[in-house]
Amino acid sequence: MGFFDFLLWMLWIYLVILCVWTFIWIFMDIFRDSTLSGWGKAGWVILLIVLPFLGALIYLIARGGSMAHRQSAEMNAAAQANADYIRSVAGASASPAAEIERAQGLLSSGAISQAEYEALKAKALAA
């Protein structure tokens, strides 16, 4: 096996992986699309099974633009959900009165000194 044969095998392996990934991506998009009816989904699946390369080409031409929009919308929704989760975990700052009351409780229990209480109170009122 020469170097040219090795490169040819690498090209074929790359093309097979590319085709498999394209089919997986198309199947995922078919079932992710909420605007496509059940019969439409079944039709696309049958077309992709019976005529895989022609079906994939037709799907990419006919619905390729909407694939990008669905992917973009899904990514935006995931980013928004992540931001909402981070905000909920970080906890929105409580009202100044609640912060002062919490600091007063810490002062009463002896966990903080009067100077620390005044610093927390000033910080709560500044916010």
Side-chain angles (χ1 to χ4, degrees):
M1 180 168 162
F3 184 67
F4 180 74
D5 293 331
F6 174 75
L7 289 179
L8 191 61
W9 274 104
M10 288 294 109
L11 176 67
W12 283 116
I13 290 171
Y14 173 75
L15 289 175
V16 167
I17 292 171
L18 181 68
C19 288
V20 168
W21 181 251
T22 302
F23 291 132
I24 290 171
W25 196 257
I26 289 173
F27 276 108
M28 285 174 28
D29 187 67
I30 287 172
F31 291 106
R32 180 177 26 208
D33 188 5
S34 61
T35 62
L36 196 59
S37 70
W39 288 107
K41 291 177 184 183
W44 279 113
V45 168
I46 291 170
L47 180 64
L48 284 168
I49 290 172
V50 173
L51 299 169
F53 294 108
L54 183 62
L57 185 64
I58 292 171
Y59 187 85
L60 291 174
I61 291 171
R63 302 185 55 83
S66 61
M67 282 177 76
H69 292 296
R70 277 188 294 281
Q71 178 68 20
S72 175
E74 186 177 307
M75 289 175 60
N76 288 339
Q80 182 63 38
N82 189 28
D84 291 343
Y85 173 73
I86 290 172
R87 269 190 236 103
S88 72
V89 170
S93 62
S95 68
E99 289 292 323
I100 294 171
E101 183 180 347
R102 186 179 65 81
Q104 179 67 39
L106 291 172
L107 178 64
S108 299
S109 69
I112 60 172
S113 67
Q114 183 66 32
E116 291 171 327
Y117 168 74
E118 293 300 327
L120 287 173
K121 182 178 172 184
K123 182 178 174 186
L125 291 174

